[in-house]
Amino acid sequence: MGVVVPLDEARAAGERLAPLLELVNEDMNAINRIILDKAVSHVDLIPKLTHHLVNSGGKRLRPMLAIASSKLCGYTGQGHVKTAAAIEFMHTATLLHDDVVDESDTRRGHKTARLIWGNQATVLVGDFLLGQAFRMLVDVGSLAVLRILSNAAATIAEGEVMQLAAAKNTATTEDAYLSIIDAKTAALFAAASEVGAALAKRPADEEAALRSYGRNLGLAFQLVDDALDYGGDSARLGKSVGDDFREGKITLPVILSFRRGNDQERAFWNRTIVEGKIEESDLQEAIRLMKRHNAIADTLERARSYGSIAHDALAIFPDGSEKTALRDVIAFCISRAH
Amino acid sequence: MGVVVPLDEARAAGERLAPLLELVNEDMNAINRIILDKAVSHVDLIPKLTHHLVNSGGKRLRPMLAIASSKLCGYTGQGHVKTAAAIEFMHTATLLHDDVVDESDTRRGHKTARLIWGNQATVLVGDFLLGQAFRMLVDVGSLAVLRILSNAAATIAEGEVMQLAAAKNTATTEDAYLSIIDAKTAALFAAASEVGAALAKRPADEEAALRSYGRNLGLAFQLVDDALDYGGDSARLGKSVGDDFREGKITLPVILSFRRGNDQERAFWNRTIVEGKIEESDLQEAIRLMKRHNAIADTLERARSYGSIAHDALAIFPDGSEKTALRDVIAFCISRAH
């Protein structure tokens, strides 16, 4: 384990994000300032815990989508910056609660907040950040944006509860799994992409197009993430490989392998994922079974297919640097797996 | 233990609420229907867990305040009903997360949701209810109301984090404790009372008056609760007596007793509250020490003083059944302790 993705390939994936980064660069600086500013509280623990997570190397993809979609829609006001910061806070709040629910010890290679400050503080600071997010959205003053993001907040939580109910259930269907990631991951991508049209008061078809773009991008993103946890299509072992396996998470590669496997293989999945009895060589064995059944390749195939829907969703917008940047995000998400 | 408050005294306290109950009765039926309706989800666990808490015998004081304040302000629209339901959802979400953070096993004499469905589901359903609350508020469509309640959401979480930081710290000052309950309890009472003026678009001085009424009522309510946990001023032992003590909660009766006590008494508080080493007779001893130092009586004295501020805050409103009902709530809160 610990074999890192070759630098040139990682760079190649990163270069796909370059147009987006250039497009949003100035606004992202403002967003980063707001994030630091709004995490301030006379209660010490709140900024400490927030900074820990905010500075732990996330890509801030969701706020970048909000900025880019605002620009695509020709929005000329200032509300997109606070909206984007609020979206990052909502995402951060979700991560904090996720880590508590999953009992995770590491995230992006760092110790989780719950391991440093405990589950209790982590739950409560998550609540604070969600409250701050809505405060910021009220400042922006668009009821349309508030509607999009309050829907997203409820849907994300619903998705997390669905995931909890499906936990350790190897019989989860692909459909049921897609409903889960549609809610817990794609809903915020969809909302982040839609807010640009809402802020710019664009017609309903443009709002729907951006929503569809974000949703399908989010599905692709999550499926690639699932595949990467088992090494992606080359089964290279990066530093986060095996996290889902060790936490007994049901993801699409597991679902496909379980359904396509024989009795002996299902016994393997039940022992490892359901009962949590994992030995040294089991991750390698899991990857071997996945490769036998094309489970990783097919997961990535699904991701490409959602990516293609996201690509087409943008067709109604005029060509230009914003559209290119948003489409390159799809390519970036997919190419992470190679 | 288990000696119940004599029925006639309980009834006397209950009668104080009668004018409010009559005033809000019709709207509360609508609110109860909305609460059941909005707890619906295709995810089974969500309505189950919500109903468990919503039906567990809370008084719904906060939504009643929202309805009564709307009527006091002459509001004639329909937004107060959804606003009040959203406030109850926010409160319910807070209780769910509180029980997880405090590791509580019972609430209002029932098993807590976390004991039945686990901490994970309890955290996530709390998140869902908070999301639903904001969805409902967006439906109401008043940015003023959204501002009041998003501020309250962030403040409540801040108060909970403050309480966590002060946990087991017997040296907490009375001022620090008041800041905690101001945020974690009084903020939602203040918001619930203020929304009526916001919905009816009344002038700033009326909004401020209702906010002050709610805030001081909330402080009084919490302090009476603190006193009741040690039996109130007659030290009768009702069914929830001793919960705070067993959970090692720092409340005003403890703070006053600790500050006024001698070294031996402080050792007692440190052993029981801080170290959690509690023996059979310790609750009786705690109550004995509180009585020696007038800690319960003085806590109630503070409560009466906040109640008096709440009473005066309503002076600017014309006399009538609404004002009477709201003032009777203060009397109800205080009289619970006797």
Side-chain angles (χ1 to χ4, degrees):
Chain A
M1 297 211 210
V3 179
V4 171
V5 177
L7 200 61
D8 55 337
E9 297 192 30
R11 192 186 297 132
E15 274 168 13
R16 306 282 195 159
L17 264 193
L20 180 70
L21 292 172
E22 195 184 319
L23 184 69
V24 304
N25 182 45
E26 201 175 313
D27 286 328
M28 285 307 293
N29 288 333
I31 288 168
N32 290 338
R33 279 193 298 275
I34 292 178
I35 286 175
L36 293 177
D37 189 44
K38 295 289 179 182
V40 165
S41 160
H42 55 282
V43 187
D44 272 2
L45 199 55
I46 290 177
K48 262 194 222 159
L49 203 150
T50 307
H51 290 175
H52 173 78
L53 198 62
V54 163
N55 294 328
S56 72
K59 282 177 296 296
R60 312 225 169 144
L61 206 46
R62 295 157 191 80
M64 287 197 277
L65 291 175
I67 298 298
S69 75
S70 301
K71 288 184 185 290
L72 178 71
C73 292
Y75 178 66
T76 53
Q78 281 305 308
H80 62 319
V81 174
K82 267 196 184 164
T83 301
I87 288 171
E88 185 68 2
F89 266 21
M90 286 178 62
H91 177 54
T92 305
T94 306
L95 295 185
L96 287 172
H97 287 186
D98 261 10
D99 285 343
V100 170
V101 168
D102 296 342
E103 302 178 346
S104 307
D105 294 338
T106 59
R107 175 174 290 280
R108 298 176 194 142
H110 296 82
K111 274 190 186 177
T112 52
R114 72 167 207 104
L115 209 65
I116 303 175
W117 290 283
N119 282 338
Q120 302 170 315
T122 306
V123 168
L124 297 175
V125 173
D127 291 348
F128 173 75
L129 293 179
L130 196 58
Q132 284 292 70
F134 278 105
R135 258 182 179 167
M136 285 188 255
L137 293 172
V138 170
D139 280 349
V140 174
S142 159
L143 277 169
V145 169
L146 273 158
R147 185 179 303 279
I148 292 166
L149 287 167
S150 60
N151 280 337
T155 301
I156 292 166
E158 229 169 355
E160 304 274 357
V161 179
M162 279 157 67
Q163 185 171 46
L164 190 65
K168 314 283 179 196
N169 178 9
T170 43
T172 303
T173 63
E174 180 167 347
D175 282 347
Y177 182 65
L178 281 173
S179 299
I180 291 170
I181 66 173
D182 206 1
K184 77 162 191 143
T185 308
L188 194 55
F189 276 82
S193 305
E194 188 180 1
V195 292
L199 283 168
K201 299 197 172 75
R202 301 297 307 163
D205 63 334
E206 293 188 17
E207 194 166 325
L210 276 166
R211 180 166 189 79
S212 170
Y213 160 81
R215 176 184 172 234
N216 286 285
L217 174 68
L219 291 172
F221 179 87
Q222 182 63 59
L223 291 176
V224 169
D225 232 41
D226 291 354
L228 277 172
D229 202 78
Y230 291 96
D233 67 352
S234 57
R236 275 188 308 268
L237 300 179
K239 63 182 169 181
S240 74
V241 165
D243 282 355
D244 289 349
F245 184 68
R246 280 184 291 273
E247 289 180 12
K249 273 198 189 160
I250 301 290
T251 59
L252 192 54
V254 173
I255 290 171
L256 295 177
S257 303
F258 183 82
R259 301 215 151 235
R260 295 171 181 178
N262 58 31
D263 285 355
Q264 194 190 337
E265 291 175 20
R266 289 186 197 178
F268 169 83
W269 295 113
N270 282 326
R271 170 174 63 81
T272 51
I273 297 278
V274 181
E275 297 169 27
K277 292 178 187 156
I278 296 178
E279 287 160 30
E280 185 69 27
S281 61
D282 282 340
L283 178 60
Q284 292 293 356
E285 174 65 6
I287 293 172
R288 198 183 64 79
L289 295 180
M290 286 176 177
K291 288 187 143 327
R292 166 186 292 177
H293 297 296
N294 280 321
I296 297 175
D298 284 355
T299 296
L300 292 174
E301 186 51 43
R302 258 73 152 183
R304 270 187 292 273
S305 147
Y306 291 114
S308 164
I309 302 175
H311 182 95
D312 290 336
L314 295 181
I316 64 168
F317 293 98
D319 290 336
S321 60
E322 294 87 359
K323 187 161 145 178
T324 303
L326 284 168
R327 282 185 165 167
D328 281 352
V329 178
I330 308 170
F332 162 74
C333 284
I334 304 287
S335 65
R336 286 161 67 227
H338 298 288
Chain B
M1 298 214 209
V3 180
V4 172
V5 178
L7 199 61
D8 55 338
E9 295 191 31
R11 193 186 296 132
E15 275 168 11
R16 304 283 196 160
L17 264 194
L20 180 71
L21 291 172
E22 196 184 317
L23 183 71
V24 304
N25 183 44
E26 202 175 312
D27 287 327
M28 285 307 291
N29 288 333
I31 288 168
N32 290 337
R33 279 193 300 275
I34 291 178
I35 286 175
L36 292 177
D37 189 43
K38 295 289 179 183
V40 165
S41 160
H42 55 281
V43 188
D44 271 4
L45 198 57
I46 290 177
K48 263 194 220 159
L49 203 151
T50 307
H51 290 174
H52 172 79
L53 198 64
V54 163
N55 295 327
S56 74
K59 283 177 296 296
R60 312 225 168 145
L61 206 47
R62 295 158 192 81
M64 287 199 277
L65 291 175
I67 298 297
S69 74
S70 301
K71 288 183 185 292
L72 178 71
C73 292
Y75 177 67
T76 54
Q78 281 306 309
H80 62 319
V81 174
K82 269 196 184 162
T83 302
I87 289 170
E88 186 68 3
F89 267 21
M90 286 177 62
H91 177 53
T92 305
T94 306
L95 294 185
L96 288 172
H97 287 186
D98 261 10
D99 285 343
V100 171
V101 168
D102 296 342
E103 302 178 346
S104 306
D105 295 337
T106 59
R107 173 174 292 280
R108 298 176 195 143
H110 296 82
K111 275 189 186 176
T112 53
R114 73 167 206 103
L115 210 63
I116 303 175
W117 290 283
N119 283 339
Q120 302 169 313
T122 305
V123 167
L124 297 174
V125 173
D127 290 349
F128 172 76
L129 292 179
L130 196 58
Q132 283 294 69
F134 279 104
R135 259 181 177 168
M136 287 189 257
L137 293 172
V138 171
D139 280 349
V140 173
S142 159
L143 277 169
V145 168
L146 273 159
R147 185 179 303 278
I148 291 166
L149 285 167
S150 59
N151 280 337
T155 301
I156 291 166
E158 227 168 356
E160 303 276 356
V161 180
M162 279 157 68
Q163 186 172 44
L164 191 66
K168 314 283 179 193
N169 178 8
T170 43
T172 304
T173 62
E174 180 167 348
D175 282 347
Y177 182 67
L178 281 173
S179 299
I180 291 170
I181 65 173
D182 206 0
K184 78 164 189 141
T185 308
L188 194 55
F189 276 81
S193 306
E194 187 179 1
V195 291
L199 283 168
K201 300 197 171 75
R202 301 296 307 162
D205 63 332
E206 293 188 17
E207 195 167 325
L210 275 166
R211 179 165 190 81
S212 169
Y213 161 80
R215 175 183 174 235
N216 286 286
L217 174 67
L219 291 172
F221 179 88
Q222 183 62 60
L223 292 175
V224 169
D225 233 40
D226 291 353
L228 277 172
D229 203 79
Y230 292 95
D233 67 352
S234 57
R236 277 186 308 265
L237 301 180
K239 61 181 169 182
S240 73
V241 165
D243 282 355
D244 290 348
F245 184 66
R246 280 184 291 273
E247 289 179 12
K249 273 197 190 162
I250 300 290
T251 60
L252 191 55
V254 173
I255 290 170
L256 295 177
S257 303
F258 184 83
R259 301 216 153 234
R260 294 170 183 177
N262 57 33
D263 286 353
Q264 195 191 337
E265 292 176 19
R266 289 185 197 180
F268 168 84
W269 294 113
N270 281 327
R271 171 174 63 81
T272 53
I273 297 277
V274 180
E275 297 169 26
K277 293 181 188 155
I278 296 179
E279 287 161 30
E280 185 68 29
S281 61
D282 282 340
L283 177 60
Q284 293 293 354
E285 174 64 6
I287 293 172
R288 197 183 63 79
L289 295 180
M290 286 177 177
K291 287 186 138 338
R292 167 187 292 176
H293 296 295
N294 281 320
I296 298 176
D298 284 354
T299 296
L300 293 174
E301 186 52 43
R302 257 72 151 185
R304 271 188 291 273
S305 147
Y306 291 115
S308 163
I309 301 175
H311 182 96
D312 289 335
L314 295 182
I316 63 166
F317 292 99
D319 290 337
S321 60
E322 294 86 0
K323 185 162 148 178
T324 303
L326 285 169
R327 282 186 165 167
D328 280 352
V329 179
I330 309 169
F332 161 75
C333 285
I334 303 287
S335 65
R336 287 159 67 226
H338 299 289

